[in-house]
Amino acid sequence: QQQVKQSPQSLIVQKGGISIINCAYENTAFDYFPWYQQFPGKGPALLIAIRPDVSEKKEGRFTISFNKSAKQFSLHIMDSQPGDSATYFCAASIPGSSYKLIFGSGTRLLVRP
Amino acid sequence: NAGVTQTPKFRILKIGQSMTLQCTQDMNHNYMYWYRQDPGMGLKLIYYSVGAGITDKGEVPNGYNVSRSTTEDFPLRLELAAPSQTSVYFCASMDGSNQPQHFGDGTRLSIL
C-alpha cells in the first residue's frame, strides 16, 4: 500500500513532442504528489508538485494531471527539448509522516533532436 | 548558498570495512533524510531526522546508523560494509510543509 508504481521505465521522444509519464498509488492517505527531475551525476530536484484537491497543475511546459478516483497522476512535458533528457521520479507523501517521500522507480527520458 | 553538501563523491570499500558518509546543509532546515538509489529502483529512505537529537528509521535501515548532533550535519555510518550496500547515497533536507526536499549530489559507493 506504500508503493508508487511508475511507468514507463524509459521513454524516447522527438524534439517538440509530448512526453507522458504515469504513476499509480494505492494508499488514499497520500496528500502530496511531487515530481523530481534528475540529471546524471546530480541529485533529484523538485520540478512540480500537486495536492489532491486539484485535478491539474501547469508550470510552463510541465503539467501534472491528477485523477483521484483512479488513484493515478501523470507528468506531461509539452514541446519536449533535448535539455529535458533526464530521469524523472514521481513521489507521494502522507500527512503527519515527517514529510517522508515514497518514490516511484523512475523514468529515463531521452529527447532526440 | 551551498545547499546540501555530501562528501566524499566516490568511494570504494572492501567488505567488512566501515565508513561515514558526510552530509551538511546551510539552510537551517530541521528535516533531513538519507536515501539510497539503486538502478531501476527509485530512492529508498534509510533514515531521517526531524531535528537535532532526533532520528528515526526509514524503509531500509539495516546495516546503517545515523546521528544528528547539530542542525547542519547528518552523517550516515556503515559499520560492516557488504556488497549489497553498493549504491548511490543521497542526503536531502527540507524546511517543512509545502517545501521541496533539497538534495545533495550524492556519494557513489562501491563495496568489493
Side-chain angles (χ1 to χ4, degrees):
Chain A
Q1 267 216 332
Q2 292 290 78
Q3 280 188 321
V4 177
K5 294 183 180 179
Q6 184 171 347
S7 62
Q9 272 193 322
S10 62
L11 182 62
I12 300 175
V13 173
Q14 289 296 125
K15 179 183 175 181
I18 302 173
S19 304
I20 301 174
I21 304 170
N22 301 299
C23 284
Y25 63 96
E26 289 295 325
N27 192 338
T28 56
F30 288 142
D31 77 334
Y32 176 67
F33 301 88
W35 284 90
Y36 279 79
Q37 180 187 54
Q38 184 182 30
F39 293 106
K42 296 294 185 181
L46 180 68
L47 186 63
I48 186 173
I50 198 168
R51 294 197 180 271
D53 53 347
V54 297
S55 60
E56 186 175 282
K57 183 174 181 180
K58 184 176 180 179
E59 291 184 1
R61 297 183 294 108
F62 301 91
T63 300
I64 299 178
S65 297
F66 188 84
N67 187 329
K68 190 173 182 178
S69 60
K71 291 183 283 187
Q72 294 176 347
F73 59 110
S74 59
L75 176 69
H76 295 237
I77 305 174
M78 312 300 288
D79 186 27
S80 298
Q81 299 297 311
D84 297 330
S85 297
T87 300
Y88 293 81
F89 294 95
C90 61
S93 179
I94 299 174
S97 68
S98 303
Y99 310 111
K100 291 182 290 185
L101 292 175
I102 310 295
F103 281 88
S105 54
T107 296
R108 184 172 292 185
L109 172 66
L110 175 64
V111 181
R112 289 206 165 124
Chain B
N1 275 349
V4 177
T5 302
Q6 292 185 238
T7 56
K9 292 192 185 305
F10 305 95
R11 185 74 184 268
I12 298 174
L13 280 183
K14 292 183 179 178
I15 295 171
Q17 286 185 320
S18 61
M19 79 162 293
T20 300
L21 282 66
Q22 301 291 346
C23 174
T24 186
Q25 51 96 4
D26 62 359
M27 297 172 283
N28 201 34
H29 288 168
N30 284 322
Y31 297 87
M32 295 189 74
Y33 309 85
W34 272 107
Y35 296 92
R36 59 178 288 171
Q37 183 177 28
D38 300 310
M41 298 293 289
L43 289 93
K44 302 292 185 184
L45 183 65
I46 305 171
Y47 270 94
Y48 68 100
S49 170
V50 301
I54 306 169
T55 63
D56 207 347
K57 296 177 181 179
E59 186 180 0
V60 290
N62 291 343
Y64 307 94
N65 275 303
V66 294
S67 60
R68 185 95 183 270
S69 57
T70 67
T71 298
E72 296 78 18
D73 299 308
F74 190 39
L76 177 72
R77 180 136 181 104
L78 283 70
E79 289 293 350
L80 288 170
S84 61
Q85 294 177 305
T86 293
S87 189
V88 182
Y89 291 84
F90 287 100
C91 177
S93 73
M94 72 178 292
D95 200 17
S97 182
N98 295 320
Q99 299 299 318
Q101 289 191 15
H102 296 265
F103 284 79
D105 285 339
T107 294
R108 186 175 298 271
L109 181 63
S110 294
I111 298 162
L112 306 175

